[in-house]
């Protein structure tokens, strides 16, 4: 929690005292290369290009075809400002694009719609990646802004290239739906893996195969669930506003598809709430298991102490330095004392067994 607070403080300090609308990158990937990817298509054809500069994308603004321009590299503030000037984007929109700590949101303007969504997926090392994706929906174009390369849009690219489904025959608002839907679909993959992790922890706890760092692992899993929750829950409001608005950029026939996204988000949110409760129960279960193990150890030690208390008492009596102890002169006194001690030992074991303390 301390590290998280420090990170938030560092991001906030970068913006303290700045004029509203200042375009300042708040991420930590300053060495990321600028990558600009363009898909320009209609029902008959599709052109795919990788551009070297944002100026090369300006020609697509007045195109009659549908254009998707994907920009990777939020650290290239100058290029984003040039793109914003060409598409007449508000300075506050540009500020939000490069501020990677934005909450999922939607802002409507006269000639475009600005949307922020959190993209979640697991990399090859099963480490959760949470990246902000900003969308600009125009009349015949969609602009997407990502911090770095690597996303969940490969299936969308294939559908555009191969003309699968409706994407090539629909407008830009449908392209926006397809991109957001790809992000939401990966939410299911994320929560499925979270569910598997929780089940693995439950199995380990019940079987007693708990590692020494189990507490830390459970806490890390809890942080992942909270991270997913913060990323998904605000998106319900975003999609709900899209459904209810009357913006001419989003056609009525496309709203049905956005309702499907809303249903998926509700389903994911319910699963997240369930997993959140399960992780709290998991921690309680783990602490109960540790407590039970401690009680078992204490029970064994208490029984051992109880057995040796009378034996120690007898041995203590015969360890006193008195000359006249009656049994000292008796020929079989030593064996009798051993017999008494063994009988006491066995009798106590029988008593504990009968009481089911053993």
């Amino acid at each position: 929690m301390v590290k998280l607070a420090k990170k938030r403080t560092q991001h906030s300090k970068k913006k303290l005292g700045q004029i509203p609308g200042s375009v300042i990158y708040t991420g930590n990937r300053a060495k990321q290369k600028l990558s600009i990817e363009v898909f320009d298509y209609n029902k008959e054809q599709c052109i795919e290009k990788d551009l070297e500069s944002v100026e090369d994308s300006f020609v697509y603004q007045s195109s009659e075809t549908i254009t998707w321009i994907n920009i990777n590299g939020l650290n290239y503030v100058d290029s984003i400002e040039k793109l914003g000037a060409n598409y007449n984007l508000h300075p506050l929109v540009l500020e939000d694009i490069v501020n990677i700590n934005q909450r999922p949101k939607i802002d409507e303007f006269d000639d475009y719609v600005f949307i922020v969504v959190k993209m979640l997926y697991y990399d090859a090392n099963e480490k959760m990646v949470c990246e902000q994706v900003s969308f600009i929906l125009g009349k015949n174009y969609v602009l997407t802004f990502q911090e770095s390369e690597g996303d969940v849009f490969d299936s969308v690219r294939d559908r555009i290239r191969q003309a699968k489904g409706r994407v090539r025959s629909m407008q830009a608002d449908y392209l926006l739906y397809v991109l957001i839907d790809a992000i939401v679909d990966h939410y299911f993959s994320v929560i499925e893996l979270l569910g598997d992790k929780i089940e693995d922890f439950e199995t380990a706890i019940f079987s007693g195969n708990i590692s020494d760092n189990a507490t830390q692992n459970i806490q890390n899993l809890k942080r992942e669930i909270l991270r997913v929750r913060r990323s998904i829950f605000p998106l319900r409001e975003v999609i709900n506003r899209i459904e209810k608005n009357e913006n001419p950029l989003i056609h009525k026939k496309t709203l049905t598809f956005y309702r499907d996204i809303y249903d998926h988000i509700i389903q994911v949110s319910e699963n997240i709430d369930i997993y959140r409760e399960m992780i709290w129960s998991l921690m309680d279960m783990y602490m109960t298991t540790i407590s039970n193990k401690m009680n078992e150890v204490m029970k064994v030690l208490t029984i051992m102490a109880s057995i040796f208390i009378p034996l120690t008492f007898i041995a203590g009596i015969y360890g006193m330095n008195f000359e006249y102890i009656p049994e000292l002169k008796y020929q079989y006194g030593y064996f009798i004392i051993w017999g008494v001690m063994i009988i006491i030992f066995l009798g106590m074991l029988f008593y504990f067994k009968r009481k089911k303390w053993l």
Side-chain angles (χ1 to χ4, degrees), residues 18 26 29 48 62 81 96 109 115 140 144-145 153 158 176 189 191 207 216 285 288 290 304-305 328-329 337 342:
Q18 297 293 334
T26 60
R29 299 183 182 180
E48 179 180 357
S62 58
E81 287 181 323
D96 291 343
F109 297 86
I115 298 175
N140 57 353
T144 55
F145 300 85
F153 299 141
D158 290 338
L176 175 65
S189 301
I191 64 172
S207 62
Q216 183 63 40
M285 189 189 307
T288 301
I290 297 298
M304 295 298 294
L328 290 178
K329 302 297 183 179
I337 293 302
I342 291 174

Side-chain angles (χ1 to χ4, degrees), residues 90-302:
H90 196 280
L92 292 177
V93 171
L94 298 179
E95 179 185 4
D96 291 343
I97 288 174
V98 296
N99 180 13
I100 64 170
N101 300 304
Q102 281 295 321
R103 188 174 181 265
K105 55 182 279 189
I106 177 172
D107 291 328
E108 296 181 54
F109 297 86
D110 292 337
D111 52 353
Y112 64 90
V113 177
F114 172 59
I115 298 175
V116 175
V117 178
K118 295 295 183 180
M119 178 172 59
L120 301 174
Y121 61 92
Y122 280 97
D123 59 14
N125 298 322
E126 290 193 359
K127 182 179 179 181
M128 181 182 291
V129 177
C130 179
E131 184 178 348
Q132 177 173 302
V133 181
S134 302
F135 297 91
I136 302 291
L137 170 64
K139 181 179 179 181
N140 57 353
Y141 64 86
V142 174
L143 308 179
T144 55
F145 300 85
Q146 303 181 52
E147 190 175 10
S148 61
E149 294 184 0
D151 53 38
V152 299
F153 299 141
D154 288 340
S155 61
V156 178
R157 295 182 180 95
D158 290 338
R159 288 163 67 179
I160 295 175
R161 294 187 189 108
Q162 302 174 20
K164 292 182 177 179
R166 303 178 178 88
V167 63
R168 289 269 291 270
S169 59
M170 302 288 281
Q171 300 299 313
D173 58 338
Y174 186 82
L175 173 61
L176 175 65
Y177 152 74
V178 170
L179 294 172
I180 296 178
D181 184 62
I183 293 176
V184 174
D185 284 345
H186 273 76
Y187 289 165
F188 286 97
S189 301
V190 169
I191 64 172
E192 183 179 354
L193 188 53
L194 288 175
D196 292 340
K197 289 183 178 181
I198 292 175
E199 289 180 3
D200 291 341
F201 275 120
E202 285 182 337
T203 303
I205 290 174
F206 279 119
S207 62
N209 299 324
I210 308 174
S211 59
D212 295 334
N213 58 346
T215 304
Q216 183 63 40
N217 292 335
I218 293 175
Q219 288 294 334
N220 292 337
L221 183 57
K222 184 172 71 173
R223 280 195 291 268
E224 285 188 6
I225 291 176
L226 292 177
R227 192 178 185 185
V228 172
R229 190 175 188 273
R230 286 195 300 267
S231 301
I232 293 176
F233 268 60
L235 189 56
R236 294 187 299 181
E237 179 184 352
V238 173
I239 303 301
N240 191 38
R241 282 187 57 185
I242 291 177
E243 282 189 81
K244 294 181 179 180
N245 73 41
E246 297 180 357
N247 195 305
L249 294 174
I250 302 177
H251 302 86
K252 290 185 178 181
K253 62 180 180 180
T254 315
L255 293 179
T256 304
F257 297 101
Y258 284 98
R259 292 191 191 101
D260 184 64
I261 292 181
Y262 186 80
D263 293 339
H264 290 170
I265 295 173
I266 294 297
Q267 184 178 351
V268 173
S269 299
E270 291 174 351
N271 289 336
I272 288 298
D273 285 337
I274 293 173
Y275 290 156
R276 190 183 181 194
E277 295 297 327
M278 289 177 65
I279 200 65
W280 283 108
S281 301
L282 200 63
M283 179 60 75
D284 293 339
M285 189 189 307
Y286 173 72
M287 298 306 298
T288 301
T289 302
I290 297 298
S291 178
N292 290 338
K293 285 188 175 182
M294 183 65 68
N295 291 337
E296 289 294 327
V297 173
M298 293 303 298
K299 183 176 72 173
V300 173
L301 293 178
T302 303

Side-chain angles (χ1 to χ4, degrees), residues 40-41 58-67 139-141:
D40 187 70
Y41 64 87
F58 295 166
V59 297
Y60 296 100
Q61 186 176 7
S62 58
S63 173
E64 294 297 327
T65 54
I66 304 300
T67 305
K139 181 179 179 181
N140 57 353
Y141 64 86

Side-chain angles (χ1 to χ4, degrees), residues 300-311 344 348 352:
V300 173
L301 293 178
T302 303
I303 289 174
M304 295 298 294
S306 300
I307 290 175
F308 280 96
I309 284 174
L311 305 185
I344 292 174
M348 294 186 72
F352 292 147

